[in-house]
PDB file of all heavy atoms in Angstrom:
ATOM      1  N   ASP A   1     -22.041 -19.340   5.906  1.00  0.00           N
ATOM      2  CA  ASP A   1     -23.281 -19.977   6.343  1.00  0.00           C
ATOM      3  C   ASP A   1     -24.414 -18.952   6.465  1.00  0.00           C
ATOM      4  O   ASP A   1     -25.594 -19.285   6.274  1.00  0.00           O
ATOM      5  CB  ASP A   1     -23.091 -20.680   7.693  1.00  0.00           C
ATOM      6  CG  ASP A   1     -22.262 -21.951   7.577  1.00  0.00           C
ATOM      7  OD1 ASP A   1     -22.067 -22.428   6.434  1.00  0.00           O
ATOM      8  OD2 ASP A   1     -21.798 -22.458   8.617  1.00  0.00           O
ATOM      9  N   ALA A   2     -24.045 -17.720   6.819  1.00  0.00           N
ATOM     10  CA  ALA A   2     -25.035 -16.646   6.942  1.00  0.00           C
ATOM     11  C   ALA A   2     -25.258 -15.927   5.611  1.00  0.00           C
ATOM     12  O   ALA A   2     -25.941 -14.909   5.568  1.00  0.00           O
ATOM     13  CB  ALA A   2     -24.586 -15.643   8.006  1.00  0.00           C
ATOM     14  N   ARG A   3     -24.668 -16.443   4.543  1.00  0.00           N
ATOM     15  CA  ARG A   3     -24.852 -15.934   3.184  1.00  0.00           C
ATOM     16  C   ARG A   3     -24.241 -14.557   2.965  1.00  0.00           C
ATOM     17  O   ARG A   3     -24.759 -13.748   2.217  1.00  0.00           O
ATOM     18  CB  ARG A   3     -26.339 -15.950   2.793  1.00  0.00           C
ATOM     19  CG  ARG A   3     -26.893 -17.363   2.669  1.00  0.00           C
ATOM     20  CD  ARG A   3     -28.353 -17.394   2.316  1.00  0.00           C
ATOM     21  NE  ARG A   3     -29.161 -16.852   3.403  1.00  0.00           N
ATOM     22  CZ  ARG A   3     -30.050 -15.874   3.247  1.00  0.00           C
ATOM     23  NH1 ARG A   3     -30.238 -15.310   2.076  1.00  0.00           N
ATOM     24  NH2 ARG A   3     -30.764 -15.448   4.271  1.00  0.00           N
ATOM     25  N   PHE A   4     -23.125 -14.301   3.654  1.00  0.00           N
ATOM     26  CA  PHE A   4     -22.347 -13.105   3.396  1.00  0.00           C
ATOM     27  C   PHE A   4     -21.169 -13.454   2.494  1.00  0.00           C
ATOM     28  O   PHE A   4     -20.489 -14.451   2.718  1.00  0.00           O
ATOM     29  CB  PHE A   4     -21.792 -12.509   4.692  1.00  0.00           C
ATOM     30  CG  PHE A   4     -22.799 -11.776   5.525  1.00  0.00           C
ATOM     31  CD1 PHE A   4     -23.447 -12.420   6.567  1.00  0.00           C
ATOM     32  CD2 PHE A   4     -23.088 -10.443   5.272  1.00  0.00           C
ATOM     33  CE1 PHE A   4     -24.371 -11.742   7.345  1.00  0.00           C
ATOM     34  CE2 PHE A   4     -24.006  -9.765   6.044  1.00  0.00           C
ATOM     35  CZ  PHE A   4     -24.655 -10.410   7.087  1.00  0.00           C
ATOM     36  N   ALA A   5     -20.940 -12.627   1.504  1.00  0.00           N
ATOM     37  CA  ALA A   5     -19.690 -12.723   0.749  1.00  0.00           C
ATOM     38  C   ALA A   5     -18.558 -12.192   1.632  1.00  0.00           C
ATOM     39  O   ALA A   5     -18.780 -11.360   2.506  1.00  0.00           O
ATOM     40  CB  ALA A   5     -19.789 -11.919  -0.536  1.00  0.00           C
ATOM     41  N   VAL A   6     -17.358 -12.698   1.424  1.00  0.00           N
ATOM     42  CA  VAL A   6     -16.221 -12.346   2.270  1.00  0.00           C
ATOM     43  C   VAL A   6     -15.091 -11.802   1.399  1.00  0.00           C
ATOM     44  O   VAL A   6     -14.759 -12.379   0.359  1.00  0.00           O
ATOM     45  CB  VAL A   6     -15.718 -13.569   3.071  1.00  0.00           C
ATOM     46  CG1 VAL A   6     -14.509 -13.203   3.913  1.00  0.00           C
ATOM     47  CG2 VAL A   6     -16.834 -14.123   3.953  1.00  0.00           C
ATOM     48  N   VAL A   7     -14.511 -10.696   1.852  1.00  0.00           N
ATOM     49  CA  VAL A   7     -13.363 -10.103   1.165  1.00  0.00           C
ATOM     50  C   VAL A   7     -12.156 -10.197   2.089  1.00  0.00           C
ATOM     51  O   VAL A   7     -12.171  -9.648   3.199  1.00  0.00           O
ATOM     52  CB  VAL A   7     -13.629  -8.627   0.801  1.00  0.00           C
ATOM     53  CG1 VAL A   7     -12.401  -8.019   0.124  1.00  0.00           C
ATOM     54  CG2 VAL A   7     -14.847  -8.510  -0.103  1.00  0.00           C
ATOM     55  N   LEU A   8     -11.135 -10.914   1.656  1.00  0.00           N
ATOM     56  CA  LEU A   8      -9.901 -11.061   2.423  1.00  0.00           C
ATOM     57  C   LEU A   8      -8.818 -10.152   1.853  1.00  0.00           C
ATOM     58  O   LEU A   8      -8.823  -9.847   0.659  1.00  0.00           O
ATOM     59  CB  LEU A   8      -9.420 -12.519   2.389  1.00  0.00           C
ATOM     60  CG  LEU A   8     -10.367 -13.568   2.969  1.00  0.00           C
ATOM     61  CD1 LEU A   8      -9.749 -14.959   2.830  1.00  0.00           C
ATOM     62  CD2 LEU A   8     -10.693 -13.266   4.417  1.00  0.00           C
ATOM     63  N   PRO A   9      -7.871  -9.720   2.683  1.00  0.00           N
ATOM     64  CA  PRO A   9      -6.813  -8.849   2.183  1.00  0.00           C
ATOM     65  C   PRO A   9      -5.869  -9.591   1.251  1.00  0.00           C
ATOM     66  O   PRO A   9      -5.546 -10.761   1.475  1.00  0.00           O
ATOM     67  CB  PRO A   9      -6.093  -8.393   3.455  1.00  0.00           C
ATOM     68  CG  PRO A   9      -6.367  -9.481   4.449  1.00  0.00           C
ATOM     69  CD  PRO A   9      -7.749  -9.981   4.130  1.00  0.00           C
ATOM     70  N   GLU A  10      -5.422  -8.904   0.224  1.00  0.00           N
ATOM     71  CA  GLU A  10      -4.360  -9.451  -0.595  1.00  0.00           C
ATOM     72  C   GLU A  10      -3.036  -9.267   0.144  1.00  0.00           C
ATOM     73  O   GLU A  10      -2.959  -8.554   1.147  1.00  0.00           O
ATOM     74  CB  GLU A  10      -4.360  -8.752  -1.957  1.00  0.00           C
ATOM     75  CG  GLU A  10      -5.642  -9.051  -2.748  1.00  0.00           C
ATOM     76  CD  GLU A  10      -5.724  -8.322  -4.066  1.00  0.00           C
ATOM     77  OE1 GLU A  10      -4.974  -7.326  -4.232  1.00  0.00           O
ATOM     78  OE2 GLU A  10      -6.534  -8.721  -4.921  1.00  0.00           O
ATOM     79  N   GLU A  11      -1.983  -9.914  -0.334  1.00  0.00           N
ATOM     80  CA  GLU A  11      -0.734  -9.984   0.424  1.00  0.00           C
ATOM     81  C   GLU A  11      -0.169  -8.618   0.823  1.00  0.00           C
ATOM     82  O   GLU A  11       0.232  -8.452   1.984  1.00  0.00           O
ATOM     83  CB  GLU A  11       0.308 -10.797  -0.350  1.00  0.00           C
ATOM     84  CG  GLU A  11       1.646 -10.930   0.365  1.00  0.00           C
ATOM     85  CD  GLU A  11       1.548 -11.609   1.735  1.00  0.00           C
ATOM     86  OE1 GLU A  11       0.557 -12.331   1.983  1.00  0.00           O
ATOM     87  OE2 GLU A  11       2.465 -11.412   2.557  1.00  0.00           O
ATOM     88  N   PRO A  12      -0.121  -7.627  -0.061  1.00  0.00           N
ATOM     89  CA  PRO A  12       0.426  -6.334   0.399  1.00  0.00           C
ATOM     90  C   PRO A  12      -0.372  -5.728   1.557  1.00  0.00           C
ATOM     91  O   PRO A  12       0.214  -5.153   2.485  1.00  0.00           O
ATOM     92  CB  PRO A  12       0.341  -5.465  -0.857  1.00  0.00           C
ATOM     93  CG  PRO A  12       0.387  -6.435  -1.991  1.00  0.00           C
ATOM     94  CD  PRO A  12      -0.395  -7.627  -1.508  1.00  0.00           C
ATOM     95  N   ALA A  13      -1.702  -5.879   1.526  1.00  0.00           N
ATOM     96  CA  ALA A  13      -2.520  -5.371   2.622  1.00  0.00           C
ATOM     97  C   ALA A  13      -2.305  -6.179   3.889  1.00  0.00           C
ATOM     98  O   ALA A  13      -2.259  -5.624   4.997  1.00  0.00           O
ATOM     99  CB  ALA A  13      -3.997  -5.388   2.232  1.00  0.00           C
ATOM    100  N   GLN A  14      -2.128  -7.500   3.739  1.00  0.00           N
ATOM    101  CA  GLN A  14      -1.895  -8.333   4.916  1.00  0.00           C
ATOM    102  C   GLN A  14      -0.581  -7.975   5.593  1.00  0.00           C
ATOM    103  O   GLN A  14      -0.482  -7.989   6.825  1.00  0.00           O
ATOM    104  CB  GLN A  14      -1.901  -9.816   4.534  1.00  0.00           C
ATOM    105  CG  GLN A  14      -1.764 -10.759   5.725  1.00  0.00           C
ATOM    106  CD  GLN A  14      -2.914 -10.627   6.715  1.00  0.00           C
ATOM    107  OE1 GLN A  14      -4.085 -10.665   6.327  1.00  0.00           O
ATOM    108  NE2 GLN A  14      -2.592 -10.462   8.001  1.00  0.00           N
ATOM    109  N   VAL A  15       0.408  -7.633   4.817  1.00  0.00           N
ATOM    110  CA  VAL A  15       1.682  -7.194   5.391  1.00  0.00           C
ATOM    111  C   VAL A  15       1.465  -5.959   6.254  1.00  0.00           C
ATOM    112  O   VAL A  15       2.020  -5.836   7.356  1.00  0.00           O
ATOM    113  CB  VAL A  15       2.716  -6.908   4.282  1.00  0.00           C
ATOM    114  CG1 VAL A  15       3.947  -6.207   4.854  1.00  0.00           C
ATOM    115  CG2 VAL A  15       3.129  -8.213   3.591  1.00  0.00           C
ATOM    116  N   GLN A  16       0.624  -5.039   5.791  1.00  0.00           N
ATOM    117  CA  GLN A  16       0.330  -3.839   6.572  1.00  0.00           C
ATOM    118  C   GLN A  16      -0.444  -4.178   7.846  1.00  0.00           C
ATOM    119  O   GLN A  16      -0.214  -3.574   8.907  1.00  0.00           O
ATOM    120  CB  GLN A  16      -0.457  -2.842   5.719  1.00  0.00           C
ATOM    121  CG  GLN A  16       0.309  -2.283   4.532  1.00  0.00           C
ATOM    122  CD  GLN A  16       1.574  -1.548   4.942  1.00  0.00           C
ATOM    123  OE1 GLN A  16       1.586  -0.816   5.929  1.00  0.00           O
ATOM    124  NE2 GLN A  16       2.653  -1.739   4.182  1.00  0.00           N
ATOM    125  N   VAL A  17      -1.340  -5.143   7.773  1.00  0.00           N
ATOM    126  CA  VAL A  17      -2.059  -5.602   8.975  1.00  0.00           C
ATOM    127  C   VAL A  17      -1.067  -6.198   9.971  1.00  0.00           C
ATOM    128  O   VAL A  17      -1.121  -5.893  11.178  1.00  0.00           O
ATOM    129  CB  VAL A  17      -3.137  -6.635   8.602  1.00  0.00           C
ATOM    130  CG1 VAL A  17      -3.752  -7.258   9.864  1.00  0.00           C
ATOM    131  CG2 VAL A  17      -4.222  -5.994   7.762  1.00  0.00           C
ATOM    132  N   ASP A  18      -0.158  -7.047   9.486  1.00  0.00           N
ATOM    133  CA  ASP A  18       0.845  -7.647  10.364  1.00  0.00           C
ATOM    134  C   ASP A  18       1.644  -6.557  11.089  1.00  0.00           C
ATOM    135  O   ASP A  18       1.905  -6.661  12.294  1.00  0.00           O
ATOM    136  CB  ASP A  18       1.813  -8.520   9.557  1.00  0.00           C
ATOM    137  CG  ASP A  18       1.145  -9.701   8.884  1.00  0.00           C
ATOM    138  OD1 ASP A  18       0.008 -10.040   9.273  1.00  0.00           O
ATOM    139  OD2 ASP A  18       1.763 -10.273   7.965  1.00  0.00           O
ATOM    140  N   LEU A  19       2.016  -5.530  10.351  1.00  0.00           N
ATOM    141  CA  LEU A  19       2.803  -4.447  10.938  1.00  0.00           C
ATOM    142  C   LEU A  19       1.981  -3.648  11.941  1.00  0.00           C
ATOM    143  O   LEU A  19       2.495  -3.219  12.985  1.00  0.00           O
ATOM    144  CB  LEU A  19       3.343  -3.533   9.842  1.00  0.00           C
ATOM    145  CG  LEU A  19       4.447  -4.136   8.962  1.00  0.00           C
ATOM    146  CD1 LEU A  19       4.726  -3.241   7.750  1.00  0.00           C
ATOM    147  CD2 LEU A  19       5.726  -4.352   9.770  1.00  0.00           C
ATOM    148  N   ALA A  20       0.717  -3.433  11.636  1.00  0.00           N
ATOM    149  CA  ALA A  20      -0.152  -2.702  12.567  1.00  0.00           C
ATOM    150  C   ALA A  20      -0.261  -3.435  13.893  1.00  0.00           C
ATOM    151  O   ALA A  20      -0.153  -2.839  14.978  1.00  0.00           O
ATOM    152  CB  ALA A  20      -1.532  -2.497  11.946  1.00  0.00           C
ATOM    153  N   ILE A  21      -0.469  -4.744  13.828  1.00  0.00           N
ATOM    154  CA  ILE A  21      -0.568  -5.551  15.046  1.00  0.00           C
ATOM    155  C   ILE A  21       0.750  -5.498  15.827  1.00  0.00           C
ATOM    156  O   ILE A  21       0.769  -5.315  17.048  1.00  0.00           O
ATOM    157  CB  ILE A  21      -0.945  -6.999  14.686  1.00  0.00           C
ATOM    158  CG1 ILE A  21      -2.354  -7.044  14.070  1.00  0.00           C
ATOM    159  CG2 ILE A  21      -0.868  -7.904  15.919  1.00  0.00           C
ATOM    160  CD1 ILE A  21      -2.694  -8.365  13.417  1.00  0.00           C
ATOM    161  N   LYS A  22       1.838  -5.655  15.105  1.00  0.00           N
ATOM    162  CA  LYS A  22       3.162  -5.636  15.739  1.00  0.00           C
ATOM    163  C   LYS A  22       3.414  -4.309  16.445  1.00  0.00           C
ATOM    164  O   LYS A  22       3.918  -4.280  17.584  1.00  0.00           O
ATOM    165  CB  LYS A  22       4.239  -5.893  14.683  1.00  0.00           C
ATOM    166  CG  LYS A  22       5.663  -5.910  15.222  1.00  0.00           C
ATOM    167  CD  LYS A  22       6.659  -6.209  14.108  1.00  0.00           C
ATOM    168  CE  LYS A  22       8.086  -6.240  14.616  1.00  0.00           C
ATOM    169  NZ  LYS A  22       9.051  -6.553  13.524  1.00  0.00           N
ATOM    170  N   LYS A  23       3.042  -3.203  15.804  1.00  0.00           N
ATOM    171  CA  LYS A  23       3.303  -1.889  16.388  1.00  0.00           C
ATOM    172  C   LYS A  23       2.452  -1.652  17.639  1.00  0.00           C
ATOM    173  O   LYS A  23       2.916  -1.019  18.599  1.00  0.00           O
ATOM    174  CB  LYS A  23       3.049  -0.801  15.350  1.00  0.00           C
ATOM    175  CG  LYS A  23       4.107  -0.730  14.254  1.00  0.00           C
ATOM    176  CD  LYS A  23       5.497  -0.442  14.841  1.00  0.00           C
ATOM    177  CE  LYS A  23       6.563  -0.355  13.775  1.00  0.00           C
ATOM    178  NZ  LYS A  23       7.908  -0.097  14.354  1.00  0.00           N
ATOM    179  N   VAL A  24       1.222  -2.155  17.669  1.00  0.00           N
ATOM    180  CA  VAL A  24       0.411  -2.051  18.890  1.00  0.00           C
ATOM    181  C   VAL A  24       1.088  -2.798  20.020  1.00  0.00           C
ATOM    182  O   VAL A  24       1.212  -2.301  21.148  1.00  0.00           O
ATOM    183  CB  VAL A  24      -1.020  -2.571  18.661  1.00  0.00           C
ATOM    184  CG1 VAL A  24      -1.762  -2.671  19.996  1.00  0.00           C
ATOM    185  CG2 VAL A  24      -1.778  -1.655  17.715  1.00  0.00           C
ATOM    186  N   LYS A  25       1.552  -4.007  19.729  1.00  0.00           N
ATOM    187  CA  LYS A  25       2.201  -4.814  20.761  1.00  0.00           C
ATOM    188  C   LYS A  25       3.510  -4.182  21.232  1.00  0.00           C
ATOM    189  O   LYS A  25       3.936  -4.394  22.375  1.00  0.00           O
ATOM    190  CB  LYS A  25       2.440  -6.234  20.245  1.00  0.00           C
ATOM    191  CG  LYS A  25       1.148  -7.037  20.057  1.00  0.00           C
ATOM    192  CD  LYS A  25       1.436  -8.438  19.574  1.00  0.00           C
ATOM    193  CE  LYS A  25       0.160  -9.260  19.394  1.00  0.00           C
ATOM    194  NZ  LYS A  25      -0.512  -9.552  20.666  1.00  0.00           N
ATOM    195  N   GLN A  26       4.122  -3.387  20.372  1.00  0.00           N
ATOM    196  CA  GLN A  26       5.352  -2.696  20.740  1.00  0.00           C
ATOM    197  C   GLN A  26       5.089  -1.349  21.416  1.00  0.00           C
ATOM    198  O   GLN A  26       6.023  -0.625  21.743  1.00  0.00           O
ATOM    199  CB  GLN A  26       6.226  -2.490  19.498  1.00  0.00           C
ATOM    200  CG  GLN A  26       6.803  -3.784  18.936  1.00  0.00           C
ATOM    201  CD  GLN A  26       7.601  -3.566  17.658  1.00  0.00           C
ATOM    202  OE1 GLN A  26       7.454  -2.541  16.976  1.00  0.00           O
ATOM    203  NE2 GLN A  26       8.452  -4.523  17.314  1.00  0.00           N
ATOM    204  N   GLY A  27       3.816  -1.015  21.605  1.00  0.00           N
ATOM    205  CA  GLY A  27       3.472   0.228  22.279  1.00  0.00           C
ATOM    206  C   GLY A  27       3.528   1.460  21.399  1.00  0.00           C
ATOM    207  O   GLY A  27       3.687   2.576  21.898  1.00  0.00           O
ATOM    208  N   ASP A  28       3.357   1.282  20.089  1.00  0.00           N
ATOM    209  CA  ASP A  28       3.401   2.408  19.157  1.00  0.00           C
ATOM    210  C   ASP A  28       2.108   2.435  18.325  1.00  0.00           C
ATOM    211  O   ASP A  28       2.126   2.140  17.123  1.00  0.00           O
ATOM    212  CB  ASP A  28       4.623   2.282  18.241  1.00  0.00           C
ATOM    213  CG  ASP A  28       4.874   3.532  17.414  1.00  0.00           C
ATOM    214  OD1 ASP A  28       4.042   4.461  17.459  1.00  0.00           O
ATOM    215  OD2 ASP A  28       5.906   3.579  16.722  1.00  0.00           O
ATOM    216  N   PRO A  29       0.983   2.798  18.944  1.00  0.00           N
ATOM    217  CA  PRO A  29      -0.291   2.757  18.218  1.00  0.00           C
ATOM    218  C   PRO A  29      -0.390   3.783  17.099  1.00  0.00           C
ATOM    219  O   PRO A  29      -1.175   3.598  16.165  1.00  0.00           O
ATOM    220  CB  PRO A  29      -1.329   3.027  19.311  1.00  0.00           C
ATOM    221  CG  PRO A  29      -0.591   3.801  20.355  1.00  0.00           C
ATOM    222  CD  PRO A  29       0.801   3.238  20.339  1.00  0.00           C
ATOM    223  N   VAL A  30       0.383   4.861  17.172  1.00  0.00           N
ATOM    224  CA  VAL A  30       0.351   5.861  16.108  1.00  0.00           C
ATOM    225  C   VAL A  30       0.878   5.252  14.798  1.00  0.00           C
ATOM    226  O   VAL A  30       0.245   5.369  13.739  1.00  0.00           O
ATOM    227  CB  VAL A  30       1.157   7.103  16.497  1.00  0.00           C
ATOM    228  CG1 VAL A  30       1.204   8.088  15.330  1.00  0.00           C
ATOM    229  CG2 VAL A  30       0.548   7.781  17.725  1.00  0.00           C
ATOM    230  N   ALA A  31       2.024   4.591  14.879  1.00  0.00           N
ATOM    231  CA  ALA A  31       2.549   3.905  13.695  1.00  0.00           C
ATOM    232  C   ALA A  31       1.606   2.795  13.257  1.00  0.00           C
ATOM    233  O   ALA A  31       1.409   2.561  12.051  1.00  0.00           O
ATOM    234  CB  ALA A  31       3.938   3.332  13.993  1.00  0.00           C
ATOM    235  N   ALA A  32       0.991   2.126  14.221  1.00  0.00           N
ATOM    236  CA  ALA A  32       0.036   1.072  13.894  1.00  0.00           C
ATOM    237  C   ALA A  32      -1.118   1.628  13.082  1.00  0.00           C
ATOM    238  O   ALA A  32      -1.598   0.988  12.128  1.00  0.00           O
ATOM    239  CB  ALA A  32      -0.482   0.427  15.181  1.00  0.00           C
ATOM    240  N   GLY A  33      -1.591   2.830  13.447  1.00  0.00           N
ATOM    241  CA  GLY A  33      -2.684   3.439  12.706  1.00  0.00           C
ATOM    242  C   GLY A  33      -2.327   3.721  11.261  1.00  0.00           C
ATOM    243  O   GLY A  33      -3.158   3.554  10.354  1.00  0.00           O
ATOM    244  N   LEU A  34      -1.090   4.123  11.013  1.00  0.00           N
ATOM    245  CA  LEU A  34      -0.650   4.375   9.640  1.00  0.00           C
ATOM    246  C   LEU A  34      -0.654   3.092   8.818  1.00  0.00           C
ATOM    247  O   LEU A  34      -1.097   3.078   7.664  1.00  0.00           O
ATOM    248  CB  LEU A  34       0.738   4.996   9.645  1.00  0.00           C
ATOM    249  CG  LEU A  34       0.841   6.407  10.255  1.00  0.00           C
ATOM    250  CD1 LEU A  34       2.302   6.847  10.319  1.00  0.00           C
ATOM    251  CD2 LEU A  34       0.016   7.404   9.449  1.00  0.00           C
TER     252      LEU A  34
END
C-alpha cells in the first residue's frame, strides 16, 4: 500500500531464520547469530 517492493526469504533462508529464532528461545544467541 505504501508502494514498497517486498523481498521474502526463499526456503533455505527461511530455514535459517527458523533456526535463529529457535536458538534465541533456547538461550543460545551466539548460534542464533550464525
Side-chain angles (χ1 to χ4, degrees):
D1 287 346
R3 293 179 293 127
F4 284 96
V6 178
V7 178
L8 299 179
E10 295 177 342
E11 180 60 21
Q14 184 62 50
V15 169
Q16 295 300 320
V17 172
D18 297 344
L19 290 170
I21 295 168
K22 181 179 180 179
K23 288 300 180 181
V24 170
K25 291 181 179 292
Q26 291 177 341
D28 190 354
V30 176
L34 294 174

